[in-house]
């Protein structure tokens, strides 16, 4: 009876989630514990066992240790969201909390600074020690500071400025692209310069000042 109760609570939690949302056993255990008015540690083992059984039944799919996604039944069979996209979402957000941002060559491509399509998507995240599942084309980096809602756009632009002369930039006017993106994100120039001074090197600071204050700037390559 107790195991059935656990299963019912877990299914109640799972069906309330969007099918593109990552499921972690930690969050499931917290939900079950809250419903039963118990400590999370007291229910975690049973939750883990039940989640493993649901995977065997084909109701959920394991992405990596303690991380799952839903399998959604459609008229054409079961639909499984892209595992790589789901894993990236886990690195970028913890529910509504921002914990990461895209950086590196993949970010430069999305920003329109390079046309080259990178093989890997690069994420700077607070979960930078997390293991990447085998076969996923994802690179994880440690951010300069802990990422949150207020700073992730600033960090993303500063990373782009730092990498301008290291990447195959082929935008006609990369400085204009960076400046326009900063304006699109409604970033404050003084805050951007302050963060460059505190968390990045001297070269990035000078370039940030030059770009944001509309000085002359050229991307140089060795």
């Amino acid at each position: 009876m107790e195991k059935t109760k656990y299963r019912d609570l877990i299914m109640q939690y799972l069906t309330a989630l969007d099918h593109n949302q990552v499921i972690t056993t930690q969050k499931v255990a917290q939900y079950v514990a809250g419903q039963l008015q118990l400590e999370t540690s007291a229910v975690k083992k049973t939750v883990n066992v039940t989640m493993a059984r649901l995977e065997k039944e084909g109701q959920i799919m394991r992405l990596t240790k303690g991380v799952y996604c839903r399998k959604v039944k459609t008229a054409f069979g079961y639909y499984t969201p892209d595992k790589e996209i789901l894993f990236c979402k886990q690195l970028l957000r913890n529910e509504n909390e921002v914990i990461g941002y895209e950086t590196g060559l993949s970010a430069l491509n999305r920003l329109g600074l390079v046309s080259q399509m990178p093989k890997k998507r690069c994420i700077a995240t607070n979960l930078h020690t997390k293991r990447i599942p085998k076969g996923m084309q994802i690179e994880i980096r440690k951010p300069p500071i802990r990422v949150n809602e207020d700073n992730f756009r600033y960090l993303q632009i500063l990373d782009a400025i730092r990498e301008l002369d290291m990447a195959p930039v082929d935008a006609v006017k990369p400085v204009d692209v960076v400046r326009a993106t900063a304006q699109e994100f409604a970033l404050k120039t003084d805050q951007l310069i302050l963060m460059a001074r505190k968390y990045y090197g001297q070269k990035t600071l000078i370039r940030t000042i030059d770009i944001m204050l509309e000085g002359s700037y050229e991307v140089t390559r060795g």
Side-chain angles (χ1 to χ4, degrees):
M1 184 68 179
E2 186 68 23
K3 289 183 179 179
T4 302
K5 191 172 185 179
Y6 272 75
R7 182 188 175 94
D8 290 344
L9 286 173
I10 290 172
M11 291 304 300
Q12 180 179 318
Y13 176 84
L14 297 182
T15 53
L17 294 177
D18 182 90
H19 65 270
N20 283 318
Q21 193 167 341
V22 172
I23 304 161
T24 66
T25 53
Q26 179 65 23
K27 293 293 183 183
V28 175
Q30 288 173 355
Y31 174 80
V32 172
Q35 295 299 308
L36 298 177
Q37 297 184 341
L38 297 171
E39 293 293 327
T40 302
S41 57
V43 306
K44 198 165 185 179
K45 183 176 180 180
T46 305
V47 166
N48 288 340
V49 170
T50 306
M51 292 290 285
R53 286 175 179 167
L54 290 174
E55 183 196 8
K56 287 182 180 180
E57 293 171 12
Q59 298 199 46
I60 57 176
M61 184 173 68
R62 184 178 183 269
L63 300 180
T64 186
K65 184 178 180 180
V67 182
Y68 297 84
C69 68
R70 285 180 59 192
K71 294 181 74 173
V72 183
K73 191 173 183 179
T74 70
F76 305 99
Y78 279 96
Y79 161 72
T80 304
D82 187 278
K83 293 194 293 183
E84 199 160 297
I85 292 175
L86 286 174
F87 190 78
C88 282
K89 284 185 176 181
Q90 185 189 14
L91 301 175
L92 295 169
R93 285 184 174 270
N94 179 16
E95 295 184 347
N96 294 323
E97 178 189 4
V98 175
I99 60 171
Y101 60 92
E102 190 163 7
T103 188
L105 192 59
S106 62
L108 295 180
N109 175 266
R110 288 178 185 272
L111 293 174
L113 290 163
V114 302
S115 57
Q116 179 181 326
M117 289 293 291
K119 291 182 179 180
K120 291 186 177 183
R121 186 177 181 187
C122 186
I123 307 291
T125 175
N126 298 340
L127 301 177
H128 54 87
T129 60
K130 197 166 189 67
R131 183 180 177 184
I132 302 172
K134 187 177 180 180
M136 289 194 181
Q137 297 298 307
I138 300 171
E139 177 186 347
I140 296 178
R141 293 184 183 178
K142 182 179 180 180
I145 55 171
R146 189 168 182 81
V147 182
N148 58 43
E149 178 75 36
D150 296 326
N151 67 22
F152 80 103
R153 289 296 191 190
Y154 287 91
L155 296 171
Q156 189 173 49
I157 289 297
L158 289 170
D159 280 8
I161 292 172
R162 179 186 60 195
E163 295 172 12
L164 277 176
D165 68 339
M166 298 183 287
V169 175
D170 51 14
V172 177
K173 295 182 178 180
V175 171
D176 291 346
V177 173
V178 172
R179 191 181 299 121
T181 303
Q183 291 172 353
E184 180 186 344
F185 292 161
L187 303 184
K188 297 178 181 178
T189 297
D190 56 347
Q191 179 66 15
L192 197 65
I193 292 172
L194 176 62
M195 290 184 67
R197 182 177 67 82
K198 291 180 68 175
Y199 306 116
Y200 291 76
Q202 186 73 10
K203 192 174 182 180
T204 302
L205 171 60
I206 293 171
R207 289 181 175 177
T208 302
I209 294 171
D210 193 29
I211 292 172
M212 297 310 298
L213 297 182
E214 302 187 20
S216 60
Y217 173 79
E218 292 183 355
V219 177
T220 59
R221 298 179 182 86

